[in-house]
Amino acid sequence: MVHKNLTSSNRVMSLPPNYQFHYNIPTLDNMELTVKVMDDDVLKDDKMGKCKIKLEKLGLSDSPTPLREKVYNRVFGDDSYVFLTLTYTE
């Protein structure tokens, strides 16, 4: 499996932030998307949570596929989620 880090731009004072990006990947075979949610602070960025999504199992096509993935499981309080819409064309 090839590991490639792709990073989005930062969103300032945006709740909830909205991103739109496109990445070219050759195949979905054995591909895993790791989403890390970070809080941009002056001194040190805080990791808010992460999730891993196995792209091959989603059956992606050129039709948008909405996803809701848990990035932080809280014992007390509400869990945190990331909402994605993914497409794939060969």
Side-chain angles (χ1 to χ4, degrees), residues 55-68:
L55 297 177
E56 184 177 28
K57 294 182 178 182
L58 295 178
L60 295 174
S61 68
D62 58 352
S63 297
T65 302
L67 293 174
R68 175 183 168 216

Side-chain angles (χ1 to χ4, degrees), residues 38-90:
M38 303 290 291
D39 180 21
D40 187 25
D41 290 332
V42 175
L43 297 178
K44 181 182 174 198
D45 295 344
D46 298 322
K47 180 178 159 191
M48 304 301 289
K50 77 175 185 176
C51 66
K52 293 186 178 188
I53 303 165
K54 297 197 181 294
L55 297 177
E56 184 177 28
K57 294 182 178 182
L58 295 178
L60 295 174
S61 68
D62 58 352
S63 297
T65 302
L67 293 174
R68 175 183 168 216
E69 295 291 326
K70 188 183 295 188
V71 293
Y72 185 61
N73 187 23
R74 296 182 186 189
V75 177
F76 301 103
D78 295 334
D79 295 336
S80 298
Y81 294 88
V82 62
F83 296 87
L84 306 168
T85 302
L86 301 177
T87 60
Y88 181 75
T89 54
E90 295 185 49

Side-chain angles (χ1 to χ4, degrees), residues 6-55:
L6 304 170
T7 304
S8 69
S9 60
N10 291 343
R11 296 291 190 257
V12 178
M13 301 300 289
S14 176
L15 292 175
N18 187 351
Y19 296 88
Q20 288 189 12
F21 22 7
H22 302 78
Y23 295 118
N24 294 320
I25 55 174
T27 181
L28 295 180
D29 297 337
N30 297 316
M31 293 298 289
E32 184 176 79
L33 174 65
T34 301
V35 178
K36 268 199 305 188
V37 179
M38 303 290 291
D39 180 21
D40 187 25
D41 290 332
V42 175
L43 297 178
K44 181 182 174 198
D45 295 344
D46 298 322
K47 180 178 159 191
M48 304 301 289
K50 77 175 185 176
C51 66
K52 293 186 178 188
I53 303 165
K54 297 197 181 294
L55 297 177

